[in-house]
Amino acid sequence: MFRLLLLPLFFVSFYGVCKVSSEQIKKLDALFAPTVAADTVPGINIAIADSNGIVWAQAYGLADSENNVAMTPAHKMRVGSIAKLITVAAMMRLVEQGKLSLDTPITKYVADWPTTHKPITLRQLAAHTAGIRSYHDDAEFILNQYFATTQASLGLFKDDALLFEPGTAHLYSTFAFTLIAAAMEGADKKRSFKQIIQQQVFAPLSMQDTVFDDQAEIIPKRQRPYVVREGKLFNAPQSDHSYKYAGGGFIATPSDISRFAVAHGQAGYLTQTSLDDMFTQARLKNGNTLPFGIGWMVDFDNYKNRSYYQGNLKVQDLMASFDNAVMHSGGSNGGTTMLILCREHQRSVTVVKNVDGEYSADVFLLALQALSMFHNDASAASQSNSQ
């Protein structure tokens, strides 16, 4: 196949990639290049960042299979639920500014949220403990309907009964973040959710390659999305993400996302109080802890007990080698993403493939292995310098 003959593209000057050793590049190429050998993986895109910027950014395969367009680090990809982390960053900035409170009932900010529901807080929404439902079915996941406002999007679920009393159970919900977006607009009435994100996240962090995934917009370097059904690759069905911008409606380069993650450990963006809140595991009313903080998955608790990793000692050892890691996955119509941030070493990795329903390239394991390579190299260098 022609796409297997494509050389990997390595952007240096455009992304300000820091120098990495040829040995590291060989290891990373050996890890990622084989992923696009599968007929079900059109392309894959990776970026690793530390406190100095992008360390390594690489792309393999195709961004557009029909037109044989090579994937590059500059391609903007559907990052799915990584959107939740972007939303949380903006939310916490508004908390710091005194415009929002994490523990105030949501009705203070969203006037048309039904008062017949039990009181819900932003903290519960961001930890998925509010009782807001998830998608009814696959059709709702790939809904192709334009919603002009956040308030209009609320109409999809606001009148549905809560699935449990807020704070008593855990259910992952993208719609919970649509309600968060409505609260942000309610607290900051002069700006729309899009404007808040632009001014609180994109601008201060120079995220010039992250945008809202607006279906009708002409967006340079937007990837083509694909799905796998019964082992065969297809174009992803058309979908409109305006109803879930806050929870799954951005496209971005992996480099932007990795730099965004590292910014959480750098002075001046979020306060330590905010970071402590975000990266502390949430508790239910019965005292049980959850694998989520505010938005972020905390440690590897969400992965250690998954059936396909439980018996894999190598993967368990890799997870155990990181003392202070946070992460999030992203599943979208035509994209699969994994972001891991090692807070101890201020290093992050983002891996995105432009396909969903595909399991030969495990983005979690790939991200974990790539981060471990730098972790081990840094540890070896530190030991060598101390001798």
Side-chain angles (χ1 to χ4, degrees):
M1 296 175 63
F2 176 77
R3 70 183 180 89
L4 300 184
L5 301 178
L6 290 169
L7 293 175
L9 298 171
F10 186 35
F11 279 37
V12 177
S13 59
F14 185 80
Y15 281 95
V17 177
C18 304
K19 183 178 179 180
V20 293
S21 70
S22 59
E23 187 62 30
Q24 284 176 318
I25 291 175
K26 287 179 182 179
K27 290 179 182 178
L28 290 162
D29 275 339
L31 178 63
F32 287 102
T35 60
V36 295
D39 291 340
T40 53
V41 183
I44 197 163
N45 210 338
I46 312 98
I48 299 173
D50 64 15
S51 56
N52 295 311
I54 299 299
V55 174
W56 185 77
Q58 186 72 291
Y60 302 85
L62 298 173
D64 182 339
S65 292
E66 289 180 318
N67 295 296
N68 203 40
V69 177
M71 183 74 78
T72 75
H75 271 98
K76 299 179 182 72
M77 308 186 72
R78 286 182 172 172
V79 294
S81 290
I82 302 302
K84 294 177 174 68
L85 306 184
I86 295 172
T87 297
V88 160
M91 180 185 78
M92 297 307 291
R93 297 261 289 185
L94 296 186
V95 169
E96 292 175 1
Q97 294 162 20
K99 295 179 178 180
L100 285 173
S101 168
L102 293 176
D103 300 307
T104 295
I106 203 74
T107 48
K108 177 179 179 179
Y109 310 113
V110 186
D112 59 347
W113 183 252
T115 55
T116 51
H117 292 321
K118 292 278 190 178
I120 295 172
T121 67
L122 288 168
R123 190 185 300 274
Q124 291 167 337
L125 288 166
H128 305 281
T129 64
I132 303 292
R133 71 172 178 88
S134 186
Y135 303 111
H136 277 317
D137 48 31
D138 289 343
E140 198 169 51
F141 174 68
I142 59 171
L143 187 64
N144 192 25
Q145 177 182 346
Y146 174 68
F147 289 81
T149 65
T150 305
Q151 294 299 321
S153 301
L154 289 179
L156 285 170
F157 63 92
K158 72 175 184 178
D159 294 321
D160 294 342
L162 299 183
L163 300 182
F164 49 81
E165 181 184 340
T168 64
H170 180 261
L171 176 71
Y172 188 87
S173 172
T174 291
F175 286 136
F177 280 74
T178 300
L179 184 50
I180 290 175
M184 291 165 65
E185 289 181 335
D188 194 338
K189 298 182 186 301
K190 294 182 179 180
R191 295 185 291 182
S192 67
F193 176 71
K194 283 187 173 182
Q195 290 171 327
I196 293 170
I197 293 297
Q198 178 62 45
Q199 295 169 20
Q200 297 296 330
V201 185
F202 294 167
L205 298 183
S206 298
M207 294 174 66
Q208 299 176 2
D209 295 312
T210 304
V211 298
F212 289 85
D213 190 9
D214 287 319
Q215 184 174 203
E217 294 289 329
I218 302 299
I219 300 176
K221 291 289 185 180
R222 192 205 305 241
Q223 57 139 81
R224 283 289 296 274
Y226 300 92
V227 298
V228 171
R229 296 174 180 156
E230 298 180 354
K232 186 177 179 181
L233 190 70
F234 292 91
N235 287 315
Q238 198 75 11
S239 57
D240 190 305
H241 296 165
S242 56
Y243 72 108
K244 57 176 178 181
Y245 283 137
F250 295 99
I251 59 174
T253 61
S255 291
D256 251 16
I257 298 303
S258 287
R259 289 192 304 102
F260 161 78
V262 170
H264 288 71
Q266 297 175 329
Y269 183 60
L270 291 168
T271 66
Q272 189 60 49
T273 298
S274 291
L275 295 172
D276 290 343
D277 270 336
M278 292 163 67
F279 299 140
T280 298
Q281 289 180 312
R283 286 183 179 273
L284 298 176
K285 290 182 177 180
N286 64 8
N288 290 345
T289 58
L290 300 173
F292 281 85
I294 295 178
W296 289 79
M297 299 177 190
V298 181
D299 295 326
F300 290 103
D301 291 354
N302 203 39
Y303 291 90
K304 288 176 182 176
N305 296 322
R306 295 191 180 187
S307 59
Y308 37 90
Y309 299 132
Q310 271 187 327
N312 190 324
L313 295 180
K314 181 179 179 181
V315 177
Q316 293 290 331
D317 287 344
L318 281 174
M319 288 188 278
S321 69
F322 292 95
D323 295 327
N324 195 358
V326 292
M327 66 223 64
H328 210 288
S329 58
S332 57
N333 177 30
T336 310
T337 305
M338 190 67 217
L339 164 65
I340 305 176
L341 168 65
C342 174
R343 297 183 67 206
E344 181 182 2
H345 297 101
Q346 284 302 294
R347 190 176 294 119
S348 68
V349 60
T350 304
V351 179
V352 192
K353 57 182 180 180
N354 56 342
V355 60
D356 72 286
E358 199 285 330
Y359 303 103
S360 71
D362 183 338
V363 294
F364 168 70
L365 186 53
L366 288 165
L368 184 63
Q369 290 173 309
L371 197 59
S372 180
M373 288 180 186
F374 279 83
H375 181 69
N376 292 337
D377 287 345
S379 297
S382 177
Q383 290 177 4
S384 177
N385 292 334
S386 65
Q387 290 177 353

